[in-house]
Amino acid sequence: MSLSEITSLQNTLNSALDVFKAELAAQNLSEPSLNTSKPHPIDDIAYLPTPAMFEARRVALASLGLLRSLVQSPYDALAANTWMTLESASVRLAAEVDIAGVLANSEDGVSIDEIAQRTDIDGLKLERALRLLVSQGWFREPKHGYFANNRLSNVIKKGHPGFHLATYMNDLFNKVTVGFSEMINHPDPNFRKNTDPLHTAFQLSYKTEVAFFGADGWLTKDPEEAIKFGLSMGAVGPTSDPGVAADFRWAEIARGKDAIVDVGGGQGTLCCSLAAKYPEIKQFIVQDLPETRAAAESFIESKGFSDKVKFEAQDFFKPQRRKGKYVFVMQRGTFPFSNKYI
Ligand SMILES: C[S@@+](CC[C@H](N)C(=O)[O-])C[C@H]1O[C@@H](n2cnc3c(N)ncnc32)[C@H](O)[C@@H]1O
């Protein structure tokens, strides 16, 4: 007799959780808790899960997602989907006024009156946003009206890479989604059927004619914006860089070559991870648009690799300037572009 969908997913989830717990135990790590303000070692952006733990996480989250769709009322799912933008807007608010910094390491929580006073925000308004966040797993409310950090809220503290994702990138995506449906279903067929970088949700939402990336584009015209974009990417690359660095034999791949070149390399997080793990590789080049130079060079310097990781302006739609023996790498670089341009 075949298993029901729920039973099959339940079994899959249980097996994945068993592996997850066993992997924690094998690394002498406690289970993560939602009842403490302390970050867990696996929350470190540079933490490298074992392949078994990575897979267990992936399978557990996938089965949880499917179980949710099986168990939840579709109307509740639709309502939650309709209002989910308020969750990301509340995360942005919390990051902008650094609620996580105000709560710091307090385990018992800080009263809403004190938070309101320290952020100079109306307590009643703020309390509603914080409670929404608590209900979605951000922050804790250890006793009524007292709020504390948890492993999710810790990553949006000022000074952490996640702060830039929760502020600048959150705001960018929130605004771009306003024009998203119109981009695909535009009343003008010339716009609707155009897939170039000048006919996107970005132009509609920002009421501009320039492209986001590229010469004369949005980021080029506003260097401050380009730095914030670069900093936001600093919370994306480093989550996968340790795995990418571990999963390939980079030293062998780079042997006899002039350098590893990361095309559209952003801040240079991958090159810095590779430089740290493979000291025998002598030269890395991060190629990206000129406006990202400042964020990249300051990140590379902060990692202490300015001598071997060099930034170089290179538009990846233009002929490659490097003609020697190079290893070219590209990750997450082309997804904003239609297949026609890649
Ligand atoms: C999503 S980010 C990925 C960054 C990095 N590869 C990573 O994995 O974190 C895309 C990168 O492509 C760069 N980019 C976009 N258009 C480009 C172009 N025409 N030439 C070179 N880089 C470009 C952006 O500046 C940005 O740093």
Side-chain angles (χ1 to χ4, degrees):
M1 200 181 77
S2 65
L3 284 180
S4 77
E5 284 174 58
I6 292 183
T7 310
S8 164
L9 287 164
Q10 205 176 352
N11 293 345
T12 307
L13 176 61
N14 275 333
S15 316
L17 289 177
D18 287 343
V19 174
F20 186 71
K21 289 193 289 184
E23 287 296 310
L24 286 170
Q27 294 168 51
N28 287 321
L29 294 173
S30 60
E31 286 182 17
S33 165
L34 294 175
N35 290 310
T36 177
S37 303
K38 291 189 193 69
H40 190 275
I42 66 171
D43 302 342
D44 190 308
I45 200 163
Y47 174 75
L48 176 64
T50 59
M53 186 191 246
F54 179 88
E55 187 60 11
R57 255 184 175 172
R58 195 184 67 82
V59 171
L61 292 174
S63 5
L64 275 171
L66 291 173
L67 276 166
R68 181 173 148 144
S69 301
L70 276 173
V71 172
Q72 193 176 28
S73 143
Y75 282 99
D76 286 350
L78 177 62
N81 173 274
T82 305
W83 294 312
M84 70 162 47
T85 49
L86 284 172
E87 179 190 339
S88 70
S90 300
V91 169
R92 182 167 74 249
L93 163 77
E96 281 169 357
V97 299
D98 197 20
I99 299 286
V102 170
L103 303 181
N105 300 327
S106 167
E107 288 291 354
D108 298 333
V110 178
S111 74
I112 187 65
D113 291 342
E114 185 179 338
I115 305 171
Q117 188 245 321
R118 287 176 58 189
T119 54
D120 197 21
I121 291 181
D122 180 81
L124 281 176
K125 276 192 197 164
L126 187 58
E127 188 173 14
R128 286 210 300 252
L130 285 179
R131 201 153 282 128
L132 180 152
L133 288 173
V134 170
S135 75
Q136 299 306 306
W138 301 89
F139 299 102
R140 299 182 289 130
E141 191 173 3
K143 63 179 172 183
H144 188 74
Y146 283 72
F147 294 91
N149 280 314
N150 67 2
R151 58 190 295 245
L152 271 79
S153 63
N154 275 324
V155 305
I156 59 169
K157 271 186 191 148
K158 261 193 185 134
H160 286 237
F163 169 80
H164 304 286
L165 206 52
T167 50
Y168 173 76
M169 196 66 94
N170 175 309
D171 185 50
L172 175 71
F173 271 73
N174 183 49
K175 287 188 178 131
V176 164
T177 52
V178 173
F180 184 75
S181 147
E182 193 187 352
M183 164 188 77
I184 297 188
N185 191 27
H186 199 282
D188 176 356
N190 290 326
F191 194 109
R192 197 163 67 231
K193 301 204 169 154
N194 198 317
T195 55
D196 75 19
L198 294 172
H199 294 79
T200 70
F202 169 71
Q203 284 82 24
L204 295 171
S205 303
Y206 278 71
K207 305 203 183 319
T208 177
E209 295 192 338
V210 302
F212 186 70
F213 293 116
D216 299 324
W218 187 261
L219 293 183
T220 318
K221 286 178 189 297
D222 188 343
E224 290 289 313
E225 186 97 349
I227 288 174
K228 287 185 197 154
F229 178 82
L231 290 170
S232 308
M233 290 315 299
V236 181
T239 60
S240 60
D241 291 344
V244 175
D247 284 351
F248 298 91
R249 295 190 186 117
W250 289 101
E252 246 172 70
I253 294 170
R255 196 166 300 136
K257 304 291 190 305
D258 295 328
I260 291 184
V261 184
D262 188 2
V263 181
Q267 277 197 290
T269 58
L270 176 61
C271 286
C272 289
S273 295
L274 292 175
K277 193 169 168 70
Y278 301 96
E280 60 272 51
I281 306 178
K282 298 289 174 238
Q283 190 70 58
F284 297 88
I285 293 153
V286 180
Q287 292 188 336
D288 209 295
L289 296 169
E291 53 270 25
T292 61
R293 178 185 289 279
E297 288 185 340
S298 100
F299 178 84
I300 295 165
E301 195 183 341
S302 76
K303 296 287 164 194
F305 288 122
S306 299
D307 54 335
K308 57 163 69 173
V309 181
K310 302 285 179 202
F311 180 89
E312 182 172 272
Q314 166 78 50
D315 183 334
F316 53 53
F317 289 122
K318 303 259 168 68
Q320 175 57 244
R321 63 169 67 197
R322 294 271 161 185
K323 304 289 181 214
K325 292 187 283 173
Y326 293 98
V327 179
F328 291 98
V329 184
M330 193 177 213
Q331 68 169 2
R332 284 188 287 264
T334 53
F335 71 87
F337 303 101
S338 154
N339 287 351
K340 207 163 106 188
Y341 298 90
I342 300 164

